[in-house]
Amino acid sequence: MNIPHALKFLGKYAAHPMRIGAVCPSSRFLARRMAEAVGDLKEGDIIAELGAGTGAVTSELYPLAAARGAKLYCVEFEPSLAKILTGRFPDAIVANDSAENIGKILGEENFGRVRAIVSCLPLVSLPKPLVAAILDASESVLPAGARFIQFTYNLARSPESLGFKKMAHLGVSFVALNIPPARVDTFAKRA
Ligand SMILES: C[S@@+](CC[C@H](N)C(=O)[O-])C[C@H]1O[C@@H](n2cnc3c(N)ncnc32)[C@H](O)[C@@H]1O
């Protein structure tokens, strides 16, 4: 674990617990599982990460995107965390913005190239209208077959509780080596 990033993260959690939603960054095991769930990628594809924080999951997505000639977008609401991401991942497009603006951030002309949205957002603790707007915007930018990947610490949560209208649940996997243990749910946009 990167100690300065972990301390920065903890400070943000102390100030905004509901918005940060975790006391420390994701482990590399959880980050890897999120990246594995992205599936096949080809040149020109787009991955969008929502709630990238200090870059714990980004550190797995970044080399994956680079290896396949794909483009990585990172959306992060906290300005100081977005600044860390810009410094760590120079080839990624970092948007210091809120996730419900994902359509505007990507640009409509790019929607057909989005292969996956990787969400690290604390959907359980964010306001319900904001969550609904984020999920709606995500469904709008994903073409048929593209994925939405979400982790949560609520191991018993049913994937249906997210409230998607156009996504099918592909599967779940559990990551014990994380504080706290997490589940990763993968969805695909219906044709
Ligand atoms: C649980 S942390 C995950 C951080 C990092 N991806 C990780 O896995 O360690 C959630 C992150 O989502 C960000 N966030 C919360 N609400 C957001 C929103 N509406 N738009 C974009 N980012 C948001 C927080 O600032 C925080 O960095």
Side-chain angles (χ1 to χ4, degrees), residues 8-182:
K8 178 86 180 170
F9 199 87
L10 183 60
K12 290 289 165 195
Y13 175 76
H16 308 287
M18 306 303 264
R19 197 160 73 214
I20 300 298
V23 289
C24 64
S26 297
S27 72
R28 64 179 188 280
F29 305 99
L30 176 55
R32 250 174 238 159
R33 196 66 63 80
M34 296 288 277
E36 282 163 11
V38 167
D40 291 339
L41 276 178
K42 60 180 188 318
E43 192 166 348
D45 281 350
I46 289 172
I47 306 173
E49 183 187 2
L50 308 181
T54 53
V57 172
T58 323
S59 64
E60 291 290 328
L61 298 175
Y62 190 72
L64 176 71
R68 312 277 168 81
K71 196 79 202 162
L72 177 62
Y73 286 72
C74 301
V75 184
E76 173 51 52
F77 188 75
E78 287 285 335
S80 61
L81 301 186
K83 198 168 164 198
I84 290 174
L85 294 165
T86 304
R88 284 187 77 186
F89 308 106
D91 292 333
I93 296 172
V94 176
N96 178 205
D97 203 332
S98 187
E100 77 270 29
N101 298 323
I102 186 64
K104 186 191 73 185
I105 293 163
L106 294 175
E108 205 171 340
E109 67 281 9
N110 288 320
F111 290 2
R113 298 199 288 136
V114 183
R115 291 312 308 148
I117 291 179
V118 178
S119 170
C120 305
L121 295 168
L123 295 181
V124 173
S125 57
L126 291 178
K128 282 192 167 33
L130 174 61
V131 172
I134 292 169
L135 298 182
D136 195 45
S138 297
E139 287 188 313
S140 299
V141 305
L142 290 170
R147 295 183 176 184
F148 184 97
I149 300 145
Q150 176 72 50
F151 78 73
T152 179
Y153 308 129
N154 180 350
L155 300 183
R157 188 177 75 181
S158 100
E160 286 72 32
S161 67
L162 269 183
F164 275 129
K165 299 181 189 81
K166 302 172 187 166
M167 308 294 292
H169 189 234
L170 288 187
V172 60
S173 72
F174 295 89
V175 182
L177 295 175
N178 190 70
I179 304 170

